[in-house]
Every structure is written in C-alpha cells, then in structure tokens.
Amino acid sequence: MLRQMEGSQAVAETIALCRPEVICAYPISPQTHIVEALSRLVTAKRLTPCEYVNVESEFAALSACIGASAAGARTYTATASQGLLYMAEALYNASGLGLPIVMTVANRAIGAPINIWNDHSDSMSQRDSGWIQLYAETNQEAVDLHVQAFALAEELSLPVMVCMDGFVLTHAFERVDLPSQEQVDAFLPSYEPRQVLDPDDPASIGAMVGPEAFTEVRYLAHARHLQALEHIPSLAAGFERAFGRSSGGLVRGYRTGGPGRGDDTGADTVVLALGSVLGTVKDVVDELRDAGSAIGAATLTTFRPFPFEAVRALLGGTRRVVVLERAFATGVGGIVSADVRAALPDAEIHTVVAGLGGRPVTKASLHDLLAKADLGPLTFLDLDEALVARELARAARRRRSGPSAENMLRDLAGGG
C-alpha cells in the first residue's frame, strides 16, 4: 500500500508486520520515533503477542534482547550513536552466541563534541563486532531491508543491523509502499529458533572457551558470514519476486555500463557510497553523463560481510574509484575504501571524507571534486582549510611557548 509517511513510522509498521515477540527499547535520537511507534502498536493490541520492555540504558536493551532471543523469541531493538557504543560489549556477545537479533541503527555522529546529526561513525565503529550490516539508500529500502533482515538473521543464526541515515531518512516524509501482513507472512516464516534456553532442560551458553578452541569458534563465525554473501543475493531475488520491486543485495551500480546496466558506455570513474547520499551522487552522475563524462555510481547495501567478489564483478574494469565516506579512521583515513582497495588492487582508489556531523554533501561540491584531475589519496570535502591552518599554527605556538612535559611533571610532583 502506497502511503506518504515518516521513515521512522514506516520502519515501525514494517517491524510490526514481521511479528517480533520481544522489543527492548531505550530512546536516543534519531531512532526514538521508531520505538515510540512500536510502543503504541503494542499498547493498541495491533502487535500481539509481543512484550515491550522499557529498560534503563542501551546496554540493558541489547542485554535483554540477548536473553529473549536465547529463550526462543523473535527479538528487535533500535539505537544510534553513543547508544550503540554503550552496548558494544553486548554486541559481541550477541554475535558470539549466534543470536538472530535485528536492530535498526539510525546513523548519527559520535561525540565529543556533541553532534546529533547524521554520519556513519557509529555503525562503522562496530564493523568488526560480528553483526551483518545492511545500509539503506531510501526509506523504501529501509522498509524492505528490515523484512529481509529477519529472514537473513534467522536463516544464518546471526544478528543483523539495518543502518538508515538519522534524520535524513528517519524523519523524512516520503511515499513508501508498505507490504501487507499476508505478503510478509508468506515471505518470512514463523520463527523456529536453533537454540532455546529451557528451564526444564537446563544448559549453559557463552561458557568459557580456552585457547585450544577459541580460534575455531571465531572461524565458524567467519564462515557463517561468508555464507551470508551467498544467501543475501538469493534473498533479494526472492524478495523481488514476492514484492515486485528490487531491493537489497550486495552492491549495485548506477550508469556503470556493461551488460544489464543500460546503454551507457563503461564508466572510467565510479563514485561509491553508502546510504542516502547516493541520491545526490546519482544526480551529479546524470549531469556529468549528459556532459559527456564516462562516470557512474555504486552503492554497497551489504558492508559486513564485505562482498569482495561482487565488487570485483561490478567494478573490476573501472580505472578510478572515488569512495565517498561518511566516517573515517582517525590517523589512518578511509574505512570503506580500505576494503575497496583490497577488492580492486589495480584500480586508482581515492578516499573522500564527506558529510561528517550532518554537513550537507552538495551537487556543487561533488562537481568541483570530480573535476579535479589530481585528486589525492585522501580528501576532506569542503574542509575549511583556513580555519584548520589557524588552529594548527596556534597549537604549534602553544607547544613552543608552553611549559615542557618535563617541567609540568615536576610541577605536579611539587618540585617547583
């Protein structure tokens, strides 16, 4: 059913259609509207049977999800930013135990300084926690990915994050095609847990594993992620057959040329990005194609596990790949581009950090960026270079004129 609605509301109603049995919630912007809407659905008996658990923190939310999932319930939660960091210990526990929890991450910057706007710093910081990470380009895709996430999590017994850009998607009103309950029920079977804690048949989970077996445990988790790379495309194909629209998958190209990709010639340059910024990137690609440039775009829907072979199949013949990053590794540079570079060792890879803390990524800025023939290995889009230069010079003056570390230690020790 086509409806004009807020992204958070669309996600909440879709989660309800997936029939979760336990929802554990702690509000943090910009995911609050999702769990608020779900609480109203539970209270109104539109989502039943379902236990809605208010908790005192994000750590408690995921800890309660772990208990509920281990007891055999289809389980869901949502978080963002510092909330995701607060549950970091539990993230590793959930994946280590192989629990099929689904969680929405409404992507938001991490402080300090405090910033409530969108970038991908939160989910990227947990990229190695053992959770599958799916990134939505639009609210429609956010809806579709949540349905697929439950099926994926339960098929592989792995937790799944569906990442959607905070405010840009969560609070945006747009037309969304919500599935019917009958459609979701036909696509997503009733949950049959692989492991269940039963008081009548006591067992321990997450018990201590010594050095003689810990590597094997980790390897088995890795093997399940590799299985996800095979399962995700077939799941996306099944979703398209059932719902009549393409959504999900591993990686998608836009005007990259080649078989099945339109009449465009192959793209010499491809801009690769995750999330909602793809809308702006596609507009710029259209304008540059009209001007005669051989350029295309690509998006990773699946970031963890990283789809190396799918990226090679799509971009293996591309001369230059510009990776637009909404987060970066301090002191290193690109996060996504490191994996892209490993997948495409013969390509010219450029990292462009853009949109941190919600700064707009404009068409004008992208046009200026892509017009540069000498684009370096690491660029910060729209960086205020004059301000940075002043602050670096000021810091250098403080280092030269301020007390030495030796003198400060002596003062602290009372040595005069």
Side-chain angles (χ1 to χ4, degrees), residues 175-197:
R175 192 173 69 166
V176 175
D177 188 357
L178 278 183
S180 67
Q181 186 68 71
E182 292 73 22
Q183 285 178 304
V184 175
D185 288 345
F187 182 82
L188 179 64
S190 299
Y191 178 38
E192 296 183 6
R194 298 193 184 178
Q195 54 182 347
V196 180
L197 289 178

Side-chain angles (χ1 to χ4, degrees), residues 341-392:
R341 188 172 287 108
L344 305 171
D346 297 326
E348 180 184 322
I349 309 295
H350 301 274
T351 299
V352 177
V353 178
L356 297 184
R359 177 173 290 183
V361 179
T362 66
K363 291 199 300 181
S365 294
L366 290 177
H367 273 288
D368 291 343
L369 174 83
L370 296 170
K372 295 178 180 177
D374 57 345
L375 190 61
L378 178 61
T379 301
F380 286 78
L381 189 68
D382 295 334
L383 183 70
D384 189 335
E385 296 182 7
L387 182 149
V388 169
R390 286 197 304 272
E391 289 302 313
L392 290 175

Side-chain angles (χ1 to χ4, degrees), residues 323-338:
V323 184
L324 205 62
E325 306 248 20
R326 305 293 306 281
F328 76 104
T330 306
V332 178
I335 296 174
V336 179
S337 52

Side-chain angles (χ1 to χ4, degrees), residues 10-280:
V11 167
E13 296 206 16
T14 302
I15 295 298
L17 294 172
C18 294
R19 301 186 187 275
E21 297 162 295
V22 176
I23 297 171
C24 305
Y26 188 83
I28 177 173
S29 294
Q31 66 86 11
T32 305
H33 289 183
I34 298 173
V35 294
E36 283 180 343
L38 283 166
S39 72
R40 290 192 292 269
L41 292 173
V42 172
T43 302
K45 306 297 184 183
R46 288 181 54 196
L47 174 51
T48 184
C50 181
E51 184 172 354
Y52 188 95
V53 185
N54 284 309
V55 294
E56 73 278 7
S57 71
E58 291 87 358
F59 178 81
L62 189 52
S63 297
C65 283
I66 288 171
S69 184
R74 181 175 282 170
T75 309
Y76 171 82
T77 189
T79 192
S81 191
Q82 275 79 238
L84 184 64
L85 300 191
Y86 193 21
M87 60 171 64
E89 179 185 348
L91 289 173
Y92 282 82
N93 287 336
S95 60
L97 293 171
L99 298 174
I101 300 164
V102 172
M103 174 167 62
T104 306
V105 176
N107 289 114
R108 169 186 149 186
I110 295 171
I114 294 172
N115 181 294
I116 66 167
W117 290 272
N118 166 245
D119 65 27
H120 292 163
S121 302
D122 49 4
S123 56
M124 287 289 166
S125 77
Q126 302 304 312
R127 60 192 177 275
D128 298 325
S129 64
W131 285 59
I132 292 173
Q133 288 193 3
L134 308 176
Y135 285 78
E137 179 183 346
T138 64
N139 278 334
Q140 183 65 68
E141 190 167 35
V143 163
D144 298 345
L145 286 177
H146 279 89
V147 179
Q148 295 177 60
F150 279 101
L152 179 64
E154 292 166 11
E155 175 67 25
L156 299 176
S157 201
L158 283 172
V160 179
M161 290 182 199
V162 179
C163 305
M164 60 186 298
D165 288 344
F167 296 110
V168 179
L169 293 182
T170 58
H171 288 55
F173 280 76
E174 59 185 34
R175 192 173 69 166
V176 175
D177 188 357
L178 278 183
S180 67
Q181 186 68 71
E182 292 73 22
Q183 285 178 304
V184 175
D185 288 345
F187 182 82
L188 179 64
S190 299
Y191 178 38
E192 296 183 6
R194 298 193 184 178
Q195 54 182 347
V196 180
L197 289 178
D198 184 352
D200 295 328
D201 184 17
S204 294
I205 62 171
M208 182 175 289
V209 174
E212 72 283 353
F214 196 75
T215 297
E216 286 73 18
V217 170
R218 284 289 180 252
Y219 178 82
L220 291 171
H222 173 66
R224 287 204 302 276
H225 271 253
L226 296 184
Q227 291 172 10
L229 290 174
E230 299 176 359
H231 194 67
I232 289 170
S234 62
L235 190 66
F239 184 90
E240 184 172 5
R241 289 192 298 271
F243 294 86
R245 57 179 176 271
S246 176
S247 189
L250 299 173
V251 59
R252 295 194 304 273
Y254 178 76
R255 304 195 72 169
T256 53
R261 302 192 188 109
D263 297 328
D264 294 314
T265 57
D268 294 330
T269 297
V270 171
V271 181
L272 184 146
L274 285 68
S276 62
V277 74
L278 255 293
T280 305

